[in-house]
Amino acid sequence: MKNIFISILLLFFISPFVFTQDRNRYLLDIYEYDKELNELVERVVAALGGRENNLGIKSFQTTGEITYQTGEKADFDLFYMKKDWFRIDQKTEEEYILFGRHGRKGWIKRIGKEEGEKIQNLKGRKLNEEEQFNLYENNLFDYEDKRLDIYYEGEIKVGEVEAYIIRLSGLRYGEEMYYISKETYRPFMKQVYFLDGKYQSVINYTIDEYTEVDGVWLPRKIGMKKGTQTKMIEFFNYDLAATFEKDFFTN
């Protein structure tokens, strides 16, 4: 009986000790996880020119060419201003296509040679999807300010490229996945997941080439895919000193 009592007494003292060990190990794992994730993000930010330089870009203008899956090409002018002010004007042989966003509202205007002018107003999910299919953004620079949740999703090999995967959640439209090259520490792929109740869709990006402008590294060639729609966007130049009035983005 005495031996049983001693065994129970030892178990009483050992159990909290084992629990404390497990808890400390768990906290250490969290600490190491956060530390490694933060170091990875800092390397990505540094490889793109630094947080201060990138967040210092309040607006910009760029020109380029879009190649659609049909082989048709369109010249474009793209205008951007923080936050949620965006416009892209495209010109093909048959029509002008203009898309703009101003805050929570947006619009698409089509001017055809035969059909004339048509305007469609956008908001909510449709507006977010249309913007993301025309604009690549990197939210790793200020995810903390935007109160986004960040996760390390592991490693993967895409073709010959070895990559880390970082996920951001808490965006108004859903989540983002960044595929980071182990060689350059720059994203070479990105996926945007739109999650709205039962509705789900994804836009895939491939960043094929970067260019350095005023100390920051910006995409030069981007492939985009949404459902069966694909296009390649090539940027010819960036003007990071361009400024606009908000009326410029409204219809």
Side-chain angles (χ1 to χ4, degrees):
M1 186 71 179
K2 183 178 180 181
N3 291 336
I4 294 174
F5 176 76
I6 292 173
S7 296
I8 293 174
L9 191 62
L10 286 173
L11 183 62
F12 178 79
F13 285 106
I14 290 173
S15 295
F17 176 72
V18 172
F19 173 78
T20 301
Q21 277 189 320
D22 289 342
R23 181 175 180 274
N24 288 341
R25 188 179 299 113
Y26 174 71
L27 293 175
L28 180 61
D29 288 343
I30 291 177
Y31 172 78
E32 291 296 334
Y33 172 88
D34 288 342
K35 180 183 177 187
E36 291 180 8
L37 178 55
N38 289 333
E39 288 176 354
L40 175 57
V41 173
E42 288 303 316
R43 284 192 174 189
V44 174
V45 169
L48 292 170
R51 182 173 285 104
E52 183 177 351
N53 287 339
N54 278 274
L55 294 181
I57 302 173
K58 304 302 182 183
S59 60
F60 68 82
Q61 177 179 353
T62 179
T63 62
E65 183 180 72
I66 300 174
T67 303
Y68 295 96
Q69 62 196 49
T70 59
E72 184 179 23
K73 296 181 182 295
D75 297 326
F76 74 86
D77 292 282
L78 186 153
F79 313 89
Y80 174 83
M81 184 171 69
K82 291 184 177 180
K83 297 178 178 179
D84 290 333
W85 301 85
F86 172 73
R87 174 170 169 168
I88 182 169
D89 299 353
Q90 306 172 47
K91 179 183 179 183
T92 69
E93 292 183 358
E94 299 298 325
E95 64 178 348
Y96 284 95
I97 306 172
L98 298 85
F99 165 65
R101 175 172 192 144
H102 47 101
R104 294 182 177 271
K105 298 180 180 180
W107 48 272
I108 297 177
K109 180 188 292 186
R110 296 178 181 272
I111 306 174
K113 291 182 178 179
E114 298 180 2
E115 296 83 0
E117 181 177 299
K118 295 181 180 180
I119 299 176
Q120 177 187 5
N121 293 316
L122 300 173
K123 62 180 181 179
R125 188 188 73 233
K126 289 185 177 180
L127 174 58
N128 291 330
E129 285 192 81
E130 186 65 31
E131 179 182 26
Q132 294 297 318
F133 195 49
N134 286 284
L135 177 69
Y136 167 84
E137 285 188 291
N138 188 330
N139 288 299
L140 293 174
F141 298 115
D142 57 351
Y143 73 91
E144 291 179 309
D145 295 337
K146 294 177 180 177
R147 297 183 179 181
L148 303 178
D149 296 317
I150 188 167
Y151 305 92
Y152 174 63
E153 296 293 337
E155 302 177 17
I156 193 174
K157 189 171 183 179
V158 182
E160 297 300 319
V161 182
E162 295 184 349
Y164 303 104
I165 306 174
I166 297 175
R167 175 167 63 94
L168 290 180
S169 68
L171 293 148
R172 64 185 171 216
Y173 42 79
E175 297 184 345
E176 296 181 336
M177 300 276 279
Y178 293 83
Y179 296 78
I180 311 299
S181 166
K182 287 187 177 182
E183 181 180 356
T184 65
Y185 283 94
R186 298 187 188 118
F188 68 96
M189 284 174 48
K190 177 186 171 183
Q191 294 170 322
V192 173
Y193 292 89
F194 296 88
L195 309 172
D196 185 5
K198 293 183 178 180
Y199 178 85
Q200 295 186 22
S201 68
V202 60
I203 295 178
N204 295 284
Y205 307 78
T206 56
I207 302 94
D208 297 332
E209 189 178 333
Y210 282 88
T211 183
E212 185 180 10
V213 183
D214 296 342
V216 300
W217 290 87
L218 300 169
R220 175 170 164 74
K221 291 183 180 180
I222 299 179
M224 295 184 176
K225 185 177 187 297
K226 176 189 172 188
T228 60
Q229 303 178 64
T230 62
K231 60 185 178 183
M232 175 65 72
I233 300 180
E234 181 176 0
F235 300 91
F236 295 157
N237 55 61
Y238 285 91
D239 180 3
L240 304 186
T243 58
F244 318 100
E245 297 294 330
K246 288 185 176 180
D247 289 346
F248 176 73
F249 299 91
T250 60
N251 180 27

